[in-house]
Amino acid sequence: MSLNPTQNISIKKTGLILVIILITSINYGQTTTYNQFWNEIQFTRTINEKWSTELNLGAVYSSTESSSNIFQQNIQRSARLWGHYYFSARWKFSTFLAYNYNKDVPEIGQFKSPETRFALQGIYYFHKTGYTLSTRMRMELRHMRNEEGDYDNVLRYRQQIKYILPINSKVLREGVVYAIASDELFFKSGTKVTGLSFFDRNRLNIGAGYLFSDDIQIEATYANEYLPRDNENQIVNAASLTVTFNNLFRNLSKKLHHRNETSTED
């Protein structure tokens, strides 16, 4: 499988950007490193050409200070319900309501911290021949329990830039493998439960995805997070696996209906 000159140039540019990000993210202060596994299943449903809904179910596993096992603890389980509005070919606006059951999350502390989260989000797409570049803006309101049992409200703003490059095609479609690279900055209000620092973290993400069909895809990525904290900084190295089903139940219903009709005719 060979790449055309445009794709080669795009890959080189992406590699240079990632190297710069990695170099500038190096911190020489005292840090604690955790290895984690993030997995999520996404179910999306198209309502019409302008609207869609989405349900995400996720879990996070982590090593601890005493064990390097990536699956040592299940530190978070989450459910998130989205509403998406496709304003134009370039703009997509979204909102979600989520519940996170946090338990022994290293960045928060070793205690249970249930969290309800609400967010408003906008994504702007730069559609280019051979690749897609997008920038995502998200404002989150996190209502979460602190160590004393009281609830804090945390405002967090996230700014992401994301690059997607189809490898064996110029467009994303069935049977296409694609590369992913993104970087995201997080800023937050200071609270007892998440610390007083304004800069929350930087998240670098690189990996690949595969479209089994227009309705089923899988992404496997590596994420590196740098989290400056009041006592000591943290670094998270995470393997991430995401599986997405588009209109799953509608498609299953159509197949069952077609099968029943075929059986009746026989």
Side-chain angles (χ1 to χ4, degrees):
M1 180 173 59
S2 59
L3 301 177
N4 61 47
T6 301
Q7 288 177 313
N8 278 319
I9 293 172
S10 298
I11 292 175
K12 290 179 181 178
K13 287 182 178 179
T14 303
L16 178 61
I17 291 171
L18 294 179
V19 169
I20 293 172
I21 291 171
L22 284 171
I23 293 174
T24 56
S25 296
I26 294 175
N27 183 275
Y28 295 96
Q30 184 177 0
T31 61
T32 301
T33 300
Y34 295 93
N35 301 313
Q36 297 184 353
F37 177 72
W38 306 342
N39 71 292
E40 186 170 85
I41 300 177
Q42 302 177 347
F43 301 93
T44 66
R45 178 181 174 85
T46 302
I47 298 175
N48 53 46
E49 62 179 16
K50 286 290 187 180
W51 290 92
S52 69
T53 59
E54 182 178 340
L55 173 65
N56 304 153
L57 301 175
V60 176
Y61 298 85
S62 179
S63 64
T64 63
E65 293 186 12
S66 60
S67 173
S68 60
N69 182 3
I70 194 173
F71 296 103
Q72 182 65 29
Q73 284 188 325
N74 178 206
I75 62 172
Q76 185 187 81
R77 293 186 293 274
S78 63
R80 182 167 51 194
L81 184 62
W82 289 85
H84 300 293
Y85 175 64
Y86 302 88
F87 179 76
S88 67
R90 293 190 178 273
W91 278 106
K92 175 184 174 183
F93 297 106
S94 307
T95 184
F96 74 68
L97 181 65
Y99 177 77
N100 292 358
Y101 180 71
N102 303 311
K103 180 180 179 296
D104 297 330
V105 177
E107 65 170 284
I108 297 174
Q110 304 304 308
F111 59 91
K112 295 179 182 179
S113 179
E115 172 189 354
T116 302
R117 188 180 302 183
F118 172 75
L120 296 174
Q121 174 177 288
I123 300 179
Y124 184 80
Y125 296 92
F126 302 87
H127 296 294
K128 302 294 182 179
T129 302
Y131 69 93
T132 297
L133 186 67
S134 65
T135 181
R136 185 180 75 185
M137 299 142 282
R138 181 190 294 179
M139 178 63 74
E140 299 175 332
L141 173 61
R142 307 174 68 189
H143 184 67
M144 53 199 310
R145 192 167 70 189
N146 60 35
E147 195 167 7
E148 285 74 32
D150 301 320
Y151 279 82
D152 290 337
N153 289 319
V154 183
L155 280 175
R156 186 166 70 176
Y157 177 75
R158 302 168 56 167
Q159 182 70 51
Q160 181 198 72
I161 186 167
K162 185 175 183 179
Y163 178 84
I164 298 178
L165 175 69
I167 301 299
N168 54 332
S169 174
K170 290 186 177 182
V171 296
L172 294 175
R173 54 180 175 79
E174 181 178 344
V176 170
V177 177
Y178 57 94
I180 309 165
S182 68
D183 193 67
E184 187 169 16
L185 299 174
F186 296 64
F187 304 92
K188 64 176 178 59
S189 58
T191 61
K192 185 180 296 184
V193 68
T194 60
L196 299 177
S197 60
F198 173 66
F199 178 61
D200 184 42
R201 73 191 67 189
N202 181 83
R203 177 183 293 172
L204 172 68
N205 204 60
I206 54 175
Y210 178 71
L211 285 158
F212 291 96
S213 68
D214 292 337
D215 296 317
I216 302 175
Q217 69 185 83
I218 187 170
E219 291 184 355
T221 62
Y222 161 75
N224 174 270
E225 285 193 337
Y226 165 64
L227 301 84
R229 289 298 179 259
D230 300 335
N231 297 324
E232 64 177 9
N233 299 328
Q234 296 179 11
I235 292 177
V236 173
N237 297 303
S240 176
L241 183 67
T242 303
V243 181
T244 302
F245 297 95
N246 299 316
N247 300 309
L248 175 64
F249 300 107
R250 179 186 296 175
N251 292 337
L252 288 176
S253 178
K254 287 181 179 179
K255 288 183 178 180
L256 290 173
H257 181 70
H258 178 72
R259 183 177 299 177
N260 291 336
E261 285 185 341
T262 303
S263 300
T264 303
E265 291 175 358
D266 291 344

